[in-house]
């Protein structure tokens, strides 16, 4: 127990604290922006980011991953807030968490293993593009000073690690650019321009709704969509961090943790959220590895709101835009572009379609679902190949068919055409040593093949079935045709 606690929380304290502080600074403008997208007060997003980060630090399955209010979730809330108001949003957030926790109990997290690499690559690249394009609005109407500060911040972010890594270069960039803007009185857009921050703690709040069947019919479709999108982004982000850090994470615990976090935030005036790949990458690149980094992000966020609101409101957006640009550059899988001509065309197409759909719709679930479906179709098409080697024993005249390839619903028609029913007059032996029988359609195909030979009075023997195939055939049975 103690050893497990130390492994999850301790051993990287300084880096976790500093990286968590950096993430907290980057969370503020994002939370405000996502609140505006959803049509709610900026504090709703800030409270959500605080409560979700705190809860997920303890309940999540991926140490060092940052969860908070996100744009993908905010987009799904727009119509709900507009038509039914804020209290319905809180109720939907709670129901979203309940659905996610239930899916966690049902081991929903294992489904991430069915997401192909091209879809993962498309997910990462599309998010990098979305994060990048989301920063461009800050350049609208901005003068050369904005561009100069962003350039200076990027220079610090990428140049400072060459000389020292005492503090994360991203945190140093935010501090230095803020000081420069204050010393020279530069007229640039700041965090305060994004929305008004109130120095109050979130308090427990029961959603002011009448619990009824009609109310549930309204919020359930929204909650289900939020649950699926949130889990999709969270599980894929966890997989990305697993690969970045060379560690593994408990995906089912992550699903349950996301559910608990959303239930809690719904009772404390927050909107539903999920893992954030941008902030998670910032945390990881800044050295954050343990749960402490996520906890510090949440605690420092509320400290910034309560104690340092005045300072935070004067942070130039240029510094935070530079940090997010760094996230985009480091997250985007440039190798995938360089190797695009080397991978199978179908994999390249899946990756590009995933990116295209996500970028066009701003909906991660649609892009990932499309990528998975196309990958499944491509796999089924490739797998639906079955053939047979026909030989005749010169002494006995026995005809042998050696089946090669899987026998399932997609190959049964081809399987039926492999046999020369008209010209096979000697006993026939069908060898399944190099094949596998997968489903009921396959068993029916074998049954029909046996029936056709039996109708012609030709002895037929089926052999070589592996244990799993034999068990399936015996369980379903070969019907009136019989079999051997």
């Amino acid at each position: 127990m103690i050893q497990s606690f130390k492994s999850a929380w301790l051993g990287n304290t300084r880096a976790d604290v500093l990286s968590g502080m950096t993430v907290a600074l980057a969370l503020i403008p994002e939370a405000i922006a996502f609140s505006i997208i959803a049509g709610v007060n900026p504090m709703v997003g800030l409270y959500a980011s605080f409560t979700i980060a705190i809860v997920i630090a303890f309940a999540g399955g991926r140490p060092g991953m940052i969860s908070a209010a996100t744009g993908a979730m905010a987009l799904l809330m727009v119509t709900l807030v507009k038509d039914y108001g804020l209290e319905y949003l809180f109720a939907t957030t709670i129901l979203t968490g309940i659905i996610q926790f239930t899916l966690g109990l049902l081991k929903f997290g294992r489904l991430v293993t069915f997401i192909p690499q091209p879809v993962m690559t498309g997910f990462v690249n599309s998010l990098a593009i979305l994060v990048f394009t989301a920063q461009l609005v800050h350049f609208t109407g901005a003068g050369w000073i904005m561009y100069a500060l962003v350039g200076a911040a990027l220079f610090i972010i990428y140049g400072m690690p060459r000389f020292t890594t005492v503090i994360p270069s991203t945190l140093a960039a935010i501090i230095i650019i803020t000081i420069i803007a204050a010393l020279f009185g530069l007229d640039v857009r700041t965090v305060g321009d994004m929305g008004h921050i109130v120095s109050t703690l979130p308090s427990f709040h029961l959603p002011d709704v009448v619990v009824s069947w009609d109310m549930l019919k309204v919020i359930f479709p929204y909650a289900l969509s939020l649950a699926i999108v949130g889990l999709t982004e969270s599980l894929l982000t966890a997989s990305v961090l697993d690969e970045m850090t060379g560690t593994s994470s408990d995906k089912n615990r992550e699903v349950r943790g996301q559910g608990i976090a959303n239930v809690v935030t719904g009772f404390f005036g927050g909107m539903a959220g999920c893992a954030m790949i941008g902030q998670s990458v910032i945390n990881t690149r800044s050295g954050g590895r343990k749960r402490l980094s996520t906890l510090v992000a949440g605690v420092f966020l509320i400290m910034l709101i309560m104690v340092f609101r005045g300072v935070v409101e004067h942070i130039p957006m240029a510094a935070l835009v530079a940090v997010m640009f760094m996230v985009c550059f480091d997250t985007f899988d440039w190798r995938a572009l360089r190797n695009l001509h080397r991978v199978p065309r179908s994999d390249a197409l899946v990756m590009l379609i995933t990116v295209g759909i996500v970028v066009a719709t701003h909906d991660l679930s649609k892009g990932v679902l499309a990528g998975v479906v196309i990958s499944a179709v491509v796999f089924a098409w490739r797998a639906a190949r079955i053939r047979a080697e026909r030989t005749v024993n010169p002494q006995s005249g026995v005809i042998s068919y050696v089946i090669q390839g899987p026998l399932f619903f997609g190959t049964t028609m081809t399987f039926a055409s492999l046999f020369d029913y008209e010209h096979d007059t000697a006993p026939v032996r069908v060898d399944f040593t190099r094949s596998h029988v997968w489903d009921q359609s396959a068993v029916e195909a074998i049954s029909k093949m046996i029936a056709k030979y039996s109708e012609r009075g030709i002895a037929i023997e089926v052999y070589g079935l592996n244990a799993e195939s034999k068990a399936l055939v015996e369980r379903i049975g070969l019907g009136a045709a019989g079999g051997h």
Side-chain angles (χ1 to χ4, degrees):
M1 186 73 176
I2 296 177
Q3 186 62 34
S4 177
F5 173 82
K6 289 181 178 179
S7 175
W9 289 88
L10 305 178
N12 192 48
T13 304
R14 185 183 67 83
D16 285 335
V17 170
L18 292 174
S19 61
M21 293 170 62
T22 306
V23 169
L25 291 168
L27 277 175
I28 292 177
E30 297 281 296
I32 294 174
F34 299 149
S35 298
I36 294 171
I37 290 173
V40 298
N41 187 285
M43 296 307 298
V44 174
L46 290 170
Y47 286 158
S49 297
F50 162 64
T51 53
I52 292 174
I54 295 295
V55 173
I56 210 68
F58 295 93
R62 169 67 250 183
M65 189 164 76
I66 306 299
S67 294
T70 67
M73 302 286 269
L75 288 169
L76 298 175
M77 305 172 189
V78 176
T79 305
L80 174 67
V81 173
K82 181 179 179 182
D83 294 343
Y84 298 97
L86 188 59
E87 297 299 325
Y88 266 68
L89 174 61
F90 296 151
T92 302
T93 298
I94 295 169
L95 182 56
T96 297
I98 293 172
I99 293 173
Q100 290 178 326
F101 186 79
T102 303
L103 291 174
L105 295 178
L106 297 175
K107 310 296 184 182
F108 183 84
R110 71 178 64 174
L111 293 181
V112 74
T113 60
F114 292 95
I115 298 178
Q117 184 60 43
V119 178
M120 286 284 295
T121 303
F123 162 79
V124 171
N125 289 346
S126 60
L127 275 183
I129 293 171
L130 288 179
V131 172
F132 180 84
T133 55
Q135 309 310 311
L136 300 182
V137 66
H138 299 297
F139 291 91
T140 303
W144 66 270
I145 296 178
M146 173 68 176
Y147 292 89
L149 290 179
V150 170
L154 286 173
F155 179 79
I156 295 170
I157 290 171
Y158 286 106
M160 183 176 166
R162 297 176 180 272
F163 303 98
T164 180
T165 56
V166 174
I167 65 171
S169 61
T170 46
L171 179 59
I174 294 172
I175 294 173
I176 293 172
I177 296 302
T178 301
I179 292 174
I180 290 174
L183 286 177
F184 293 94
L186 301 179
D187 183 18
V188 293
R189 195 177 189 192
T190 63
V191 171
D193 296 324
M194 296 288 295
H196 183 57
I197 300 176
V198 181
S199 297
T200 56
L201 285 170
S203 58
F204 184 81
H205 171 74
L206 284 173
D208 186 13
V209 296
V210 177
V211 180
S212 65
W213 179 247
D214 289 336
M215 186 272 290
L216 289 174
K217 286 195 296 185
V218 169
I219 69 172
F220 182 78
Y222 289 101
L224 183 61
S225 298
L226 288 166
I228 297 301
V229 169
L231 292 183
T232 301
E233 183 164 359
S234 298
L235 290 175
L236 291 179
T237 299
S239 296
V240 170
L241 295 187
D242 287 352
E243 186 173 339
M244 287 178 62
T245 60
T247 58
S248 60
S249 56
D250 187 337
K251 303 300 188 299
N252 289 315
R253 179 178 176 180
E254 184 61 41
V255 173
R256 297 192 300 272
Q258 291 290 329
I260 295 171
N262 278 318
V263 169
V264 172
T265 197
F267 282 119
F268 281 86
M271 56 199 277
C274 64
M276 307 180 76
I277 191 168
Q279 275 68 17
S280 296
V281 170
I282 290 174
N283 190 43
T284 301
R285 296 297 191 201
S286 300
R289 292 293 185 273
K290 307 290 185 179
R291 295 182 182 275
L292 180 61
S293 61
T294 307
L295 179 63
V296 169
V299 171
F300 193 60
L301 173 62
I302 203 65
M303 284 182 59
L304 291 172
I305 293 172
M306 295 296 299
V307 181
F308 302 106
R309 177 178 63 87
V311 175
V312 169
E313 289 184 335
H314 286 88
I315 295 176
M317 284 304 303
L320 298 175
V321 167
V323 171
M324 298 312 295
F325 277 169
M326 179 274 294
V327 170
C328 300
F329 300 150
D330 288 2
T331 302
F332 194 91
D333 191 347
W334 301 99
R335 185 181 58 181
L337 288 183
R338 293 194 299 268
N339 295 335
L340 200 60
H341 65 287
R342 297 179 181 175
V343 301
R345 291 183 180 179
S346 57
D347 288 351
L349 181 63
V350 167
M351 190 269 284
L352 293 174
I353 288 177
T354 302
V355 171
I357 293 177
V358 172
V359 172
T361 65
H362 286 224
D363 190 330
L364 295 169
S365 62
K366 289 180 180 177
V368 171
L369 178 61
V372 170
V373 169
I374 294 172
S375 295
V377 171
V378 171
F379 171 77
W381 180 264
R382 289 174 176 172
R385 297 174 182 174
I386 191 169
R387 64 183 187 275
E389 291 183 3
R390 182 180 183 274
T391 59
V392 180
N393 188 305
Q395 283 76 36
S396 63
V398 173
I399 302 168
S400 296
Y401 287 90
V402 179
I403 308 301
Q404 299 182 40
L407 182 57
F408 66 109
F409 68 89
T411 58
T412 53
M413 292 184 64
T414 304
F415 175 78
S417 68
L418 297 176
F419 303 94
D420 191 356
Y421 300 107
E422 297 298 328
H423 299 95
D424 288 346
T425 56
V428 173
R429 303 178 77 241
V430 183
D431 182 1
F432 277 88
T433 304
R434 301 181 186 178
S435 182
H436 186 94
V437 179
W438 284 103
D439 55 17
Q440 182 182 356
S441 298
V443 177
E444 288 295 325
I446 296 173
S447 178
K448 291 176 182 178
M449 179 268 294
I450 293 174
K452 286 184 179 181
Y453 279 116
S454 298
E455 288 170 0
R456 291 168 171 76
I458 299 172
I460 172 74
E461 178 187 3
V462 173
Y463 71 99
L465 292 168
N466 58 37
E468 187 177 346
S469 299
K470 186 175 182 180
L472 178 64
V473 170
E474 291 177 347
R475 185 167 70 249
I476 296 176
L478 293 174
H484 301 278

